[in-house]
């Protein structure tokens, strides 16, 4: 494979030498694009000797060969290690003020970045938002890990070890080659290969317990009829599978779903909102993250007939009396939480983005959850479709990420945000 290793200006740049070496020893053709600042931490001769290729830095070298785009166009994989907070911000903004920025923008290859910075920088809301943006575009992150940082401090922000970066990057490239889903969102840029279904994922939920509710509840009217909704459960099931792939122990509480249930997750089947409430209130306190993707029936019939309702008995018109179901999301959001996260969904029929946002902000304030995944639904969008477009609001009502594409890639885009929040990022 033709692999571009981007090196940016952090002390961890010296470790990038071992990333290059690991890739070269596995038979790959490695081209280093180093920023000016990176070369203050590690010498060009070292990088050239280890990569066995010329190191590129200057935007104005090789103009005749249109090198500012040629390197990116030729790449099968781009790995940036270390990726500083500044680089992450530039990538999120799509800046091309140096050779590395041009190379990334001109490439359709999978992009893997290994962030390295001090804990405060990693947890800064600007970095959190930038990372969420990159994740939603299908950029893969390796680390950072917790440990000794430059100076006397330690914490999250240390670059992952070179071997881990090499292994993760090659796994991503293998997944991309296997024909990953590139998403179907109409108004979004194509996702990078490796971002969608079938691609290996970063295991940022390792050791976490995740509860997902999915599907539509059904409220019985009589032994053969129920009040239901058009939810297929696809998005919730995709979230459960993606959380499992990111290393979590997953419990899926499934109401009525129209897709196969994922392997490797604990499944609890429920039918009604009352059953869902009971199962969720028991399971939520045992989980670090609860994602309420289920479409819960807001009302249930006041009484359920023991026998089939006969139209000979009810006549020309039938009036059903309904009573409101308890709000499960509001109930678990209000309970004691000790750092556990609760995420709600809001399916809204809105004519404009502003209206959608307004409805979402009112809903998260009402529900009291940490994040709300908002999507527009209509007769032909949102429910029972293969793709989805969502935005995620935080408790303050600010948009933290937008994701579009297959339900699997949307699941990955939003889980990255929740995993970062669980790891202590504000
Ligand atoms: N939800 C819930 N319990 C209910 C109704 C909804 O836990 N009785 C959860 C859903 O799982 C979802 C979120 O609340 O995560 C929002 O669901 P939605 O139907 O959009 O909101 P409602 O509260 O029903 O408000 P409305 O239908 O009036 O918009």
């Amino acid at each position: 494979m033709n692999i571009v290793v981007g090196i940016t200006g952090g002390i961890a740049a010296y470790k990038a030498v071992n990333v290059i070496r690991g890739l070269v020893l596995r038979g790959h053709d490695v081209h280093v694009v180093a920023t000016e600042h990176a070369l203050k931490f590690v010498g060009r001769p070292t990088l050239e000797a280890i990569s066995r290729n010329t190191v590129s830095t200057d935007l104005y070298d090789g103009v005749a060969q249109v090198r500012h785009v040629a390197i990116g166009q030729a790449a099968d994989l781009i790995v940036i290690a270390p990726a500083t907070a500044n680089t992450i911000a530039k990538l999120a903004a799509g800046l091309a003020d140096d050779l590395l920025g041009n190379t990334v923008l001109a490439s359709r290859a999978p992009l893997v970045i290994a962030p390295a910075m001090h804990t405060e920088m990693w947890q800064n809301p600007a970095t959190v938002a930038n990372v969420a943006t990159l994740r939603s575009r299908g950029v893969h992150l390796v680390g950072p890990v917790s440990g000794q940082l430059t100076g006397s401090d330690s914490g999250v922000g240390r670059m992952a070890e070179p071997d881990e970066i090499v292994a993760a990057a090659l796994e991503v490239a293998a997944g991309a080659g296997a024909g990953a889903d590139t998403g179907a969102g109409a108004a979004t840029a194509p996702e990078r290969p490796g971002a969608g279904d079938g691609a290996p994922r970063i295991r940022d939920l390792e050791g976490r317990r995740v509860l997902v509710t999915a599907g539509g509840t059904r409220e019985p009217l009589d032994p053969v009829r129920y009040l239901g909704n058009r939810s297929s459960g696809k998005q919730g099931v995709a979230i459960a599978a993606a959380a499992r792939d990111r290393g979590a122990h997953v419990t899926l509480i499934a109401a009525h779903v129209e897709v196969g249930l994922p392997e490797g997750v604990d499944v609890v089947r429920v039918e009604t909102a009352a059953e869902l409430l009971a199962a969720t209130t028991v399971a939520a306190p045992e989980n670090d993250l609860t994602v309420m993707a289920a479409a819960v029936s807001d009302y249930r019939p006041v009484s359920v007939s023991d026998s089939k309702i006969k139209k000979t008995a009810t006549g020309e018109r039938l009036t059903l009396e309904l009573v409101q179901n308890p709000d499960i999301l509001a109930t678990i959001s209000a309970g004691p939480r000790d750092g556990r996260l609760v995420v709600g969904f809001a399916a809204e029929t809105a004519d404009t983005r502003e209206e959608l946002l307004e409805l979402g902000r009112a809903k998260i304030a009402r529900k009291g959850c940490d994040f709300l995944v908002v999507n527009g639904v209509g007769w032909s969008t949102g429910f029972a479709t293969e793709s989805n477009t969502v935005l995620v609001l935080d408790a303050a009502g600010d948009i933290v990420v937008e994701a579009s594409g297959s339900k699997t890639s949307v699941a990955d885009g939003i889980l990255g945000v929740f995993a970062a929040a669980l790891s202590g990022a504000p």
Side-chain angles (χ1 to χ4, degrees), residues 65-100:
Q65 298 89 43
V66 207
R67 194 129 63 93
H68 72 292
V69 291
I71 299 173
Q73 286 170 339
D76 299 307
L77 170 69
I78 300 179
V79 184
I80 302 180
T84 59
N86 184 49
T87 302
I88 287 173
K90 286 177 24 170
L91 291 173
L95 287 188
D97 61 348
D98 60 13
L99 185 61
L100 184 58

Side-chain angles (χ1 to χ4, degrees), residues 292 294 296 298 326-329 344-348 363 366-367:
M292 280 291 303
V296 188
D298 287 335
D327 192 317
I328 304 167
L329 178 60
F345 266 69
E348 306 288 357
K363 191 160 282 183
R366 209 164 61 234
K367 301 276 186 177

